[in-house]
Amino acid sequence: MAEKIVSNEQAVLSHSEAPNKIENGSGDNFAPQKTDVGTQLAEAYEGEIRNPLKGMPRQQLLEDVARFRAEKGLPEDILPYLERGALVAQNPAGFEHVAELEESEKQAIRDEVLHRWRHPWALYYTIVLNSIAAAIQGWDQTASNGANLSFPDALGIPTSGACGPDPNAGLCAKNSWIVGFVNAMPGITITVFAGWVSDPLNHYLGRRGTIWLAAIFSLLAPFGMALSQTWGQLAACRMLLGIGMGLKEVTVPVFSAENSPTNIRGGLVMSWQVWTAFGIFLGTCANLAVGEVGTIGWRLQFGSAFIPAVPLVLGTWFCPESPRWYIKKGRYVNAWNSLVRLRNTKLQAARDLYYIHALLVDEERLIQEAGLKVNSSMFTRFIELFTIPRVRRATWASGVVMIAQQMCGINIISYYSSTIFEQSGVSAHTALWASFGFGAINFVFAWPAVFTMDTWGRRALLLFTFPNMFWSLLTAGLCYLISNEHARIAAVATFVYIFAAFYSPGEGPVPFMYSAEVFPLSHREIGMSWAVATNNFWGSILSLTLPRLLAVFKPVGVFGFYAGLNLVALLMIFVAVPETKQKSLEELDGVFSVPYRKYARYQFGTVLPWWFRRTFLRKRGEVCPELYHNDNDASDVGENSA
């Protein structure tokens, strides 16, 4: 299934012995546990999130740490940190009772809860660079939004007026499809090519190298769009833009997820959406700034998107590379150096390095014992997205949240808001101002998710926002029926803004962040490629069809259609998207080992009745039974004491 994480069978054996012991009393009294893989997978089916170090005798653990350091070529002077880090990883909740820890080290671990946003500058520098990459995506989207008002006429593909009075006439219909095709070209490119080529590029170039290559495309493509003389040239340049967008969409969320500490991973990874929204806002500002400069305005709108690519090209190589990518390549010394830059203390770096290694070795052992073939080819890993149960469930969940982002209707606003506002009866320049308001709302209301993503959780935000997106989008469409022009314009803008306000903290940030974390390391790049391709496939279908849908069904019909899809997406999320907050990337193996039939029965048979009793019967004190059990939730006081 994956590349070999360890090169020595003894290391695999030493770790595999860890979960096969249970405490039979206290101290060092242990009894054998069932060791067959069927039993362990059955435990996973019950939602068991296992710590492979739990219950391992102290001496065996320390010997294994020493062997690990020697086999991986790590410097001798980090052995004390690895030993203390392994003791903490064995029982995270009981770190206060690890006698070997210094008080400063204990305080650093306490601060992970008390001051969870206090981290080294290198971590935040990485997130800032990734945020710039996200801003490029948003600006690229919005550049075409404003240019849609003028580039069709300038390039000889008018969709109204010059092609005849009837919007359903043959020439208008043909031109509508061409405009849709030009707008959809980045999404088509990502779906067919860029999303998939990200997998081998990540394998060979790493996260930083792939992002830097994407930045080059994002820097050069806007100049080509600005200089295009035909719609074919413009489509070709947008294809190049799509390569840069696709490489970033696959890699940046994964890079952020792999570098981030578990307890704030959601808040940091969702910076992708916050700064995509900021890029949309900046794009609307640029559209306004050049919206009335004459016939070259659309060229400046397309060309302005090069601006945020400049700092990304210059700054990417100063980030620490993903330690998990280094581990996957067997470069443990590099992984250690990255973690030292990304964590507050060497103890925390050593703990994370050893615990990640232990979880990956345990995962590898279960795969081997289950009789699955280890193969690192891209084609085989793609097939395994749908054949290995744990990976298949992650594939399905990520696909649901990605499809839901297109089903909700946000991109009919992101790509065509200027056109939609213009159809409410305002001038082209006023439509740009209305789009500016949409961009500002989208950015401002993305911020609450930074602080709720790791407390409320990904799933809760989705379940809260989708019903509200349904009614607000439906109402925005119905407002087009208002006869008074001024009242119609105000009402449409108001409910579009309300829709954006609900979208931004929920379905906005969750899909890319969720998809970046749910796949195991062995399938993370190909899994993210699948998720991004899924998102962009449906996004390109939306971009391609919307000009024609608007001509035929008018905004009322289009808004009503997408409002209904919000309810379909809500049901899909309820039954198929597990919560992932506050769990390490490797611990999510336990979450996605639960069969979906069992998960759906739990949602309908346990969660839904509990929610009804709590909400309508006012039984506030009733606790919902848990589906998962996490070894790290409880502290075995004294287990690590001397």
Side-chain angles (χ1 to χ4, degrees), residues 2-205:
E3 293 184 28
K4 266 292 186 185
I5 303 298
V6 291
S7 59
N8 188 296
E9 293 183 1
Q10 193 173 19
V12 176
L13 178 60
S14 65
H15 280 295
S16 67
E17 291 171 355
N20 301 330
K21 304 287 185 178
I22 59 172
E23 193 169 353
N24 193 29
S26 59
D28 293 327
N29 296 318
F30 293 84
Q33 191 181 17
K34 295 179 181 179
T35 59
D36 65 285
V37 69
T39 300
Q40 295 188 35
L41 291 175
E43 291 174 354
Y45 286 164
E46 297 302 319
E48 187 76 16
I49 301 172
R50 298 167 52 256
N51 181 342
L53 305 179
K54 197 78 170 180
M56 182 185 290
R58 172 186 296 268
Q59 188 59 38
Q60 180 185 341
L61 177 64
L62 297 180
E63 289 174 358
D64 190 66
V65 168
R67 184 164 49 247
F68 164 73
R69 184 211 63 78
E71 290 174 354
K72 303 308 176 187
L74 294 164
E76 291 187 15
D77 59 354
I78 75 167
L79 180 59
Y81 296 108
L82 285 171
E83 291 175 340
R84 297 199 296 273
L87 292 172
V88 172
Q90 186 180 47
N91 184 12
F95 73 92
E96 295 281 4
H97 303 281
V98 179
E100 290 85 352
L101 292 185
E102 300 174 3
E103 181 57 32
S104 61
E105 293 173 331
K106 291 182 179 180
Q107 187 59 47
I109 298 175
R110 295 184 197 112
D111 286 346
E112 292 179 340
V113 177
L114 300 176
H115 303 284
R116 64 192 185 113
W117 296 100
R118 184 183 296 170
H119 293 280
W121 73 269
L123 175 63
Y124 287 113
Y125 177 79
T126 301
I127 299 303
V128 167
L129 262 294
N130 289 349
S131 300
I132 292 173
I136 299 172
Q137 305 291 98
W139 201 321
D140 289 336
Q141 290 180 23
T142 317
S144 63
N145 188 322
N148 280 330
L149 296 176
S150 51
F151 91 78
D153 290 333
L155 297 182
I157 47 172
T159 57
S160 62
C163 68
D166 182 5
N168 293 317
L171 183 57
C172 275
K174 177 183 176 182
N175 289 349
S176 294
W177 286 111
I178 292 174
V179 171
F181 175 74
V182 171
N183 281 300
M185 182 53 71
I188 295 171
T189 303
I190 296 170
T191 302
V192 175
F193 175 71
W196 303 107
V197 78
S198 300
D199 178 80
L201 287 177
N202 269 274
H203 178 76
Y204 291 108
L205 302 181

Side-chain angles (χ1 to χ4, degrees), residues 544-559:
L544 184 65
T545 59
L546 190 64
R548 190 66 190 144
L549 289 176
L550 284 172
V552 176
F553 296 115
K554 308 302 180 188
V556 178
V558 173
F559 277 46

Side-chain angles (χ1 to χ4, degrees), residues 216-236:
I216 295 296
F217 280 97
S218 297
L219 178 66
L220 299 179
F223 290 104
M225 292 190 294
L227 297 173
S228 296
Q229 301 301 311
T230 66
W231 71 262
Q233 293 174 4
L234 180 59

